[in-house]
Short mmCIF file of all heavy atoms in Angstrom, two decimals:
data_model
loop_
_atom_site.label_atom_id
_atom_site.label_comp_id
_atom_site.label_asym_id
_atom_site.label_seq_id
_atom_site.Cartn_x
_atom_site.Cartn_y
_atom_site.Cartn_z
N PRO A 118 -3.34 5.83 -11.88
CA PRO A 118 -4.52 6.42 -12.51
C PRO A 118 -5.79 6.04 -11.76
O PRO A 118 -5.92 4.92 -11.26
CB PRO A 118 -4.51 5.83 -13.92
CG PRO A 118 -3.76 4.55 -13.79
CD PRO A 118 -2.73 4.77 -12.72
N SER A 119 -6.72 6.98 -11.71
CA SER A 119 -7.94 6.75 -10.94
C SER A 119 -8.81 5.65 -11.53
O SER A 119 -9.61 5.03 -10.81
CB SER A 119 -8.75 8.05 -10.84
OG SER A 119 -9.10 8.52 -12.13
N ASP A 120 -8.66 5.37 -12.83
CA ASP A 120 -9.48 4.33 -13.46
C ASP A 120 -8.73 3.02 -13.64
O ASP A 120 -9.27 2.06 -14.22
CB ASP A 120 -10.00 4.81 -14.82
CG ASP A 120 -8.89 5.04 -15.84
OD1 ASP A 120 -7.70 5.02 -15.45
OD2 ASP A 120 -9.20 5.22 -17.03
N LEU A 121 -7.47 2.95 -13.16
CA LEU A 121 -6.64 1.75 -13.31
C LEU A 121 -6.65 1.25 -14.75
O LEU A 121 -6.67 0.04 -15.01
CB LEU A 121 -7.09 0.65 -12.35
CG LEU A 121 -7.01 0.98 -10.86
CD1 LEU A 121 -7.51 -0.19 -10.03
CD2 LEU A 121 -5.58 1.34 -10.45
N ALA A 122 -6.62 2.20 -15.68
CA ALA A 122 -6.58 1.90 -17.11
C ALA A 122 -7.75 1.01 -17.55
O ALA A 122 -7.64 0.26 -18.51
CB ALA A 122 -5.25 1.25 -17.48
N GLY A 123 -8.87 1.11 -16.83
CA GLY A 123 -10.06 0.35 -17.20
C GLY A 123 -9.97 -1.13 -16.93
O GLY A 123 -10.76 -1.93 -17.45
N ALA A 124 -9.04 -1.55 -16.08
CA ALA A 124 -8.82 -2.97 -15.82
C ALA A 124 -9.91 -3.56 -14.94
O ALA A 124 -10.59 -2.85 -14.19
CB ALA A 124 -7.46 -3.19 -15.17
N SER A 125 -10.07 -4.88 -15.02
CA SER A 125 -11.00 -5.59 -14.16
C SER A 125 -10.28 -6.30 -13.02
O SER A 125 -10.94 -6.84 -12.12
CB SER A 125 -11.80 -6.61 -14.98
OG SER A 125 -10.93 -7.50 -15.64
N LEU A 126 -8.95 -6.30 -13.06
CA LEU A 126 -8.16 -6.99 -12.04
C LEU A 126 -6.86 -6.23 -11.82
O LEU A 126 -6.14 -5.91 -12.77
CB LEU A 126 -7.85 -8.42 -12.50
CG LEU A 126 -6.98 -9.29 -11.59
CD1 LEU A 126 -7.68 -9.55 -10.26
CD2 LEU A 126 -6.65 -10.62 -12.28
N LEU A 127 -6.56 -5.92 -10.57
CA LEU A 127 -5.31 -5.27 -10.18
C LEU A 127 -4.39 -6.33 -9.57
O LEU A 127 -4.80 -7.05 -8.66
CB LEU A 127 -5.57 -4.17 -9.16
CG LEU A 127 -4.34 -3.57 -8.46
CD1 LEU A 127 -3.49 -2.76 -9.44
CD2 LEU A 127 -4.77 -2.71 -7.26
N HIS A 128 -3.14 -6.38 -10.04
CA HIS A 128 -2.17 -7.32 -9.45
C HIS A 128 -1.03 -6.55 -8.80
O HIS A 128 -0.39 -5.70 -9.42
CB HIS A 128 -1.60 -8.25 -10.51
CG HIS A 128 -0.58 -9.20 -9.96
ND1 HIS A 128 -0.91 -10.17 -9.02
CD2 HIS A 128 0.77 -9.32 -10.17
CE1 HIS A 128 0.18 -10.86 -8.69
NE2 HIS A 128 1.21 -10.36 -9.36
N LEU A 129 -0.78 -6.87 -7.52
CA LEU A 129 0.28 -6.24 -6.74
C LEU A 129 1.19 -7.31 -6.16
O LEU A 129 0.80 -8.48 -6.04
CB LEU A 129 -0.33 -5.41 -5.60
CG LEU A 129 -1.32 -4.32 -5.99
CD1 LEU A 129 -2.03 -3.78 -4.75
CD2 LEU A 129 -0.62 -3.19 -6.74
N THR A 130 2.40 -6.90 -5.76
CA THR A 130 3.30 -7.82 -5.09
C THR A 130 3.87 -7.16 -3.84
O THR A 130 3.80 -5.94 -3.67
CB THR A 130 4.49 -8.27 -5.98
OG1 THR A 130 5.48 -7.24 -6.00
CG2 THR A 130 4.04 -8.59 -7.39
N GLY A 131 4.47 -7.99 -2.99
CA GLY A 131 5.11 -7.49 -1.78
C GLY A 131 6.50 -6.94 -2.02
O GLY A 131 7.17 -6.55 -1.06
N ILE A 132 6.94 -6.89 -3.26
CA ILE A 132 8.25 -6.32 -3.57
C ILE A 132 8.20 -4.80 -3.57
O ILE A 132 9.02 -4.14 -2.93
CB ILE A 132 8.76 -6.85 -4.92
CG1 ILE A 132 8.92 -8.36 -4.88
CG2 ILE A 132 10.09 -6.17 -5.30
CD1 ILE A 132 9.24 -8.99 -6.22
#
Side-chain angles (χ1 to χ4, degrees):
S119 59
D120 66 349
L121 299 179
S125 56
L126 178 64
L127 169 69
H128 179 64
L129 303 169
T130 79
I132 298 172

